[in-house]
Amino acid sequence: MPLLPLDETAAPHAQPPPREDVRRRLPGVTAARRAVVLLPLLLLAVWAALDRRAVQDGAVRLAGADPWWLLVGLLFTYLGAVAAACVRQGAIRERLPTGPLVASQIAAGAANHVLPASIGAHAVTVRFLLRQGVPLPRATASIALYSLVRAVAKTPVVLVFVLAAPSAAPPVRLLPQGRTLVLAAAGLLLAPLAAAALYAFVRPLRRPALDFVRAALTDARLLHARPGRVLPLWGGAVAAPLLQAGVVASVGTALGVPMSWPQLLFAFLAASTAAGAVPAPGGIGPVDAALVFTLAGYGTPLPLATATVIGYRALTVWVPLLPGMLVLSALVQRKLL
């Protein structure tokens, strides 16, 4: 009896189409991907609408500034993304592609100004690491190492300024006093106690917490045994605050602030250190107020100090925000995020 040709469309054991073909046939998946791509641009529009007055004031005050020094400040801004990429690479054992890594940090910088306490930047980075095949426990452990190294590296930078250039120290007290000191000490004590209480009483968190601690300690030990990871990890962490301070110094020079570069650099380092504990989006708000008062402590007129802070925010937030959102959308389209 001759065998009849099988109808592939009716065969019960036919191979299912590739997953990518299924996604292309599902309009909901395509629409969801397009929505994710357009979401950063929508957030940008909302942000601009809510803070349009700051944009207008900054543009007016910066109209008479030296444009070449503003370009130098913008260069420092994008070099900050390169420094962040160095720290990210130093905090992970796998070799990451250089171009996409730097692009992810440009996108992370834009996301960082939408959510508080660097949540947006860390979320973008974790997604990028997952796309590169890094397991989730080690990806989150690299975020913890990144944050710890960035915080620790700023301390010797400030001390070097105090010891090498004592004239750069502002004529104001830098250490907290009174209730501020009590609140800071209470925060340092309550944070580990709260973590221990969560671990003791919330059992579903025990296994993920142990995996996270093991991954963090193992990666930290292995990474510090490799010079190819230690140098970008700590070198980028030291360079990052100096590059941010360089933006403030460039804007101050462009506006004619009567302060030297060491004083401008130290003013930002002191202000960002004092206000870094407040979980505001990108540090916007606390750092701005602290920087204005620090510049005024040097004798800078308050309107000029305010213009310097507005210029700093323009170069670190508004000017890079649109390119950063476009890079974020491009990375989502190319499935790198």
Side-chain angles (χ1 to χ4, degrees):
M1 182 177 179
L3 297 176
L4 296 176
L6 294 176
D7 185 0
E8 295 182 358
T9 60
H13 300 292
Q15 294 292 330
R19 184 178 298 178
E20 190 62 31
D21 293 341
V22 174
R23 289 180 178 177
R24 291 177 181 176
R25 295 176 187 177
L26 295 176
V29 175
T30 303
R33 179 170 292 276
R34 289 177 179 174
V36 172
V37 171
L38 295 177
L39 181 60
L41 300 180
L42 178 61
L43 291 175
L44 172 64
V46 173
W47 187 282
L50 293 176
D51 206 13
R52 61 184 179 275
R53 182 174 298 178
V55 179
Q56 296 172 354
D57 293 344
V60 171
R61 292 178 181 276
L62 293 174
D66 187 343
W68 294 108
W69 277 112
L70 296 180
L71 286 176
V72 172
L74 188 60
L75 175 63
F76 281 130
T77 297
Y78 281 103
L79 287 178
V82 177
C86 290
V87 184
R88 299 288 188 187
Q89 176 61 86
I92 204 74
R93 282 183 280 168
E94 287 81 359
R95 179 65 180 176
L96 302 174
T98 304
L101 176 59
V102 175
S104 72
Q105 294 312 292
I106 295 176
N112 190 41
H113 299 298
V114 178
L115 297 175
S118 301
I119 295 176
H122 293 332
V124 170
T125 301
V126 168
R127 183 63 180 171
F128 174 76
L129 294 177
L130 293 178
R131 285 293 189 176
Q132 298 300 316
V134 180
L136 181 59
R138 294 185 49 242
T140 53
S142 73
I143 297 299
L145 182 59
Y146 171 90
S147 302
L148 178 62
V149 170
R150 286 285 299 263
V152 171
K154 186 183 289 187
T155 301
V157 174
V158 175
L159 291 178
V160 166
F161 267 89
V162 173
L163 297 177
S167 61
V172 295
R173 295 184 180 271
L174 298 178
L175 296 178
Q177 292 182 343
R179 294 182 179 179
T180 305
L181 182 59
V182 173
L183 291 175
L188 292 176
L189 292 176
L190 291 178
L193 291 177
L198 287 175
Y199 178 80
F201 297 107
V202 185
R203 291 191 175 186
L205 292 179
R206 292 183 181 180
R207 183 63 180 273
L210 287 176
D211 292 341
F212 171 79
V213 172
R214 290 194 189 102
L217 294 178
T218 301
D219 277 12
R221 177 176 56 84
L222 295 176
L223 289 170
H224 283 82
R226 300 172 59 180
R229 293 295 181 268
V230 174
L231 291 178
L233 179 66
W234 289 98
V238 170
L242 290 175
L243 290 171
Q244 286 185 303
V247 179
V248 174
S250 299
V251 175
T253 304
L255 292 171
V257 172
M259 293 170 57
S260 64
W261 261 64
Q263 290 175 329
L264 288 167
L265 295 175
F266 187 82
F268 173 81
L269 293 174
S272 61
T273 301
V278 180
I284 296 176
V287 174
D288 296 343
L291 185 55
V292 168
F293 285 116
T294 305
L295 294 175
Y298 279 102
T300 302
L302 191 58
L304 192 55
T306 304
T308 302
V309 174
I310 292 176
Y312 164 72
R313 284 302 176 190
L315 293 183
T316 56
V317 177
W318 287 108
V319 175
L321 191 55
L322 177 58
M325 290 298 186
L326 293 177
V327 171
L328 180 59
S329 298
L331 291 176
V332 172
Q333 274 189 322
R334 297 187 179 186
K335 301 177 183 179
L336 293 173
L337 291 179

